[in-house]
């Protein structure tokens, strides 16, 4: 009986791990068919007889992205939306460019852990653990340094220097998703009640109204 119970526990653990990751491949590849109207968790497979090498390729990551925004950073994506061949493979990457004092503001990736390496320049990076500890782990990175942001945790990157910086990140999902905290809280559509946010942040509702007005300009 004890052996049977142990095996059941192992099976339950294995099942939970399987459900917590991207869909696993059951063949050599499953190139995303973006034209299919069928809704699945991920993308339907394209007919392998019409798959081409270009389905597994992307050009342009050698070029800096447009950092002409108020944060002074840009993320160039290389996920399943740009590379259909990544479908079911559970991996993607990004190039991130930062001007001096450029910031990738606090955000999360709900479906992926991220490992980041600085190619040129320097970055102040960090992440915050979940409630109730809310512990901040932060480190200054230089060229060649690597840092890991665990899945789902709020994290950020800031270029404190006076020269441009760029980094490459790898993520453990074909489609990691990004939730920028300030955008989600103050720029949601429709907006969250100012009464709720005022109580949550323990500030006056007028401040919340001002913040929501500022973030609504992006929508």
């Amino acid at each position: 009986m004890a052996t049977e119970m142990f095996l059941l526990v192992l099976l339950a653990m294995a099942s939970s791990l399987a459900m917590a990751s991207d869909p696993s491949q059951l063949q050599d590849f499953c190139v995303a068919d973006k034209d299919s109207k069928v809704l699945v968790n991920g993308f339907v497979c394209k007919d392998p007889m019409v798959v081409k090498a270009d389905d597994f390729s992307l050009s342009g990551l050698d070029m800096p992205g447009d950092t002409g925004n108020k944060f002074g950073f840009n993320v160039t994506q290389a996920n399943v939306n740009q590379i259909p061949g990544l479908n079911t493979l559970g991996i993607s990457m990004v190039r991130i460019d930062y001007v001096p004092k450029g910031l990738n503001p606090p955000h999360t990736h709900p479906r992926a852990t991220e490992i980041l390496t600085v190619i040129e320049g320097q970055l102040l990076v960090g992440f915050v653990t979940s409630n109730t500890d809310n512990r901040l782990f932060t480190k200054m990175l230089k060229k060649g340094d690597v840092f890991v942001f665990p899945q789902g945790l709020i994290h950020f990157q800031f270029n404190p220097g006076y020269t441009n910086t760029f980094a490459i990140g790898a993520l453990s999902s074909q489609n990691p998703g990004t939730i920028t905290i300030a955008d989600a809280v103050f720029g949601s559509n429709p907006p969250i009640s100012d009464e709720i946010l005022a109580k949550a942040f323990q500030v006056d509702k007028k401040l919340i109204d001002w913040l929501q007005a500022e973030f609504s300009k992006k929508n």
Side-chain angles (χ1 to χ4, degrees), residues 103-204:
L103 170 69
N104 188 357
H107 62 282
T108 72
H109 300 298
R111 297 182 288 275
T113 291
E114 178 180 3
I115 183 168
L116 183 89
T117 182
V118 177
I119 307 299
E120 291 290 345
Q122 63 284 300
L123 284 175
L124 175 65
V125 302
F127 67 84
V128 180
T129 60
S130 55
N131 297 350
T132 56
D133 191 20
N134 297 136
R135 184 178 175 189
L136 172 64
F137 290 85
T138 186
K139 187 175 178 65
M140 182 67 73
L141 305 181
K142 62 182 185 302
K143 180 178 179 179
D145 289 345
V146 175
F147 197 81
V148 174
F149 305 107
Q151 180 174 340
L153 296 188
I154 295 172
H155 59 283
F156 60 86
Q157 302 114 27
F158 174 67
N159 176 11
Y162 297 94
T163 59
N164 290 340
T165 290
F166 89 89
I168 294 291
L171 299 107
S172 61
S173 172
Q174 67 182 41
N175 187 21
T178 300
I179 302 172
T180 304
I181 305 306
D183 288 344
V185 173
F186 298 112
S188 67
N189 185 22
I192 301 172
S193 164
D194 58 358
E195 181 177 5
I196 291 173
L197 293 179
K199 188 162 188 175
F201 288 95
Q202 294 293 288
V203 297
D204 189 88

Side-chain angles (χ1 to χ4, degrees), residues 40-77:
V40 298
N41 184 24
F43 293 95
V44 172
C45 301
K46 183 186 291 187
D47 181 347
M49 298 307 295
V50 300
V51 169
K52 301 177 180 179
D54 286 346
D55 290 319
F56 301 92
S57 176
L58 176 70
S59 300
L61 285 189
D62 59 319
M63 301 299 294
D66 181 8
T67 53
N69 55 67
K70 63 183 179 180
F71 293 112
F73 90 108
N74 185 84
V75 178
T76 302
Q77 306 274 2

